[in-house]
Amino acid sequence: MRLLNIVSSPRGAQSASIAVANAFLDAYLKTSASIEVDTLNVWDENLPDFDSQAIGAKYKGVSKEPMDEAESSIWMRIQSLVKRFQEADRIVVGVPMWNFGYPYKLKQLIDLVSQRNMLFTFDGDAYGPMLKIPRALVICVRGQSHDKGAGVMSPGFTFQADYIDFWLKFIGVKEVETLLVEHTWDAKAQETVEQGKAQAAAMAAHF
């Protein structure tokens, strides 16, 4: 069993999303000795920019045209990242809310790996997923919440979770579980993070 653990917060030990994800992983590893965790920290991976060379490599890769040296190097890096998704049996993603969305480094990873005929197919009429992953856990951490005290209602507060849910199902995750941990930037922070860690650990039993 191989679990891909995607870390998208740069805050290390101060990160609520990392703390909750680690609580889940600690509990999950106790369920089986065969579980292997592959941690992909988007801040440590030195992800290539999705620039003109990467886009050029993308189009040439899809159409199977020859690439120059720079394009070939980027394409090989993209393939190595994609392989980590292809080898995964489960996925865990910790996602802090940044301006009602998610960290730009996470979007960079998504843009790099979401390649036609690698994580999804398109026949000119319809898209299809290429992965066969039974489930994923998305831990969405928010400094505030969508309640009246925040002053901002949906869809702003739902975009974070909705996009990641859509993307994971698009590439082939059958079931996406979302754990919301809110109020991590006010007086309730310690309490809500501890509650989130307890909830995450409990979810490990059936993951």
Side-chain angles (χ1 to χ4, degrees):
M1 177 73 71
R2 189 175 180 87
L3 183 148
L4 179 61
N5 173 38
I6 301 174
V7 177
S8 69
S9 171
R11 302 189 69 226
Q14 294 179 304
S15 167
S17 64
I18 292 175
V20 175
N22 285 345
F24 172 85
L25 293 172
D26 289 345
Y28 190 55
L29 286 170
K30 293 176 182 177
T31 65
S32 173
S34 66
I35 298 171
E36 179 182 352
V37 178
D38 174 20
T39 297
L40 196 168
N41 187 318
V42 297
W43 299 93
D44 296 339
E45 283 290 331
N46 193 26
L47 299 174
D49 291 333
F50 199 59
D51 54 14
S52 60
Q53 287 184 329
I55 294 173
K58 169 193 176 85
Y59 285 119
K60 289 181 179 179
V62 170
S63 59
K64 298 183 179 180
E65 297 178 25
M67 302 179 189
D68 61 32
E69 185 176 348
E71 291 169 337
S72 180
S73 177
I74 292 173
W75 194 242
M76 288 177 64
R77 181 71 176 109
I78 287 173
Q79 288 177 313
S80 72
L81 290 167
V82 168
K83 187 178 180 181
R84 295 168 76 170
F85 284 82
Q86 293 171 334
E87 293 179 342
D89 300 297
R90 302 286 191 276
I91 296 176
V92 172
V93 192
V95 190
M97 177 181 277
W98 285 19
N99 293 307
F100 303 101
Y102 29 78
Y104 65 89
K105 279 289 184 180
L106 177 58
K107 184 58 165 63
Q108 185 177 354
L109 174 68
I110 291 171
D111 288 338
L112 288 167
V113 301
S114 299
Q115 303 294 338
R116 182 179 177 183
N117 299 328
M118 294 171 75
L119 290 189
F120 71 92
T121 61
F122 181 64
D123 61 9
D125 293 314
Y127 292 95
M130 291 195 71
L131 300 183
K132 295 181 180 179
I133 297 177
R135 63 182 59 89
L137 171 62
V138 181
I139 300 165
C140 289
V141 172
R142 302 166 180 176
Q144 290 293 335
S145 72
H146 63 278
D147 58 22
K148 291 182 179 180
V152 180
M153 300 300 287
S154 57
F157 273 90
T158 64
F159 177 74
Q160 173 201 29
D162 288 352
Y163 176 78
I164 303 301
D165 179 273
F166 167 81
W167 171 65
L168 288 169
K169 290 175 180 176
F170 176 77
I171 62 176
V173 178
K174 184 176 181 181
E175 178 184 346
V176 178
E177 297 183 61
T178 300
L179 173 59
L180 298 180
V181 183
E182 300 182 310
H183 292 285
T184 61
W185 199 14
D186 58 25
K188 300 179 182 179
Q190 184 175 352
E191 177 186 353
T192 56
V193 171
E194 290 303 317
Q195 288 175 347
K197 289 164 67 175
Q199 287 179 278
M203 295 171 77
H206 62 83
F207 192 71

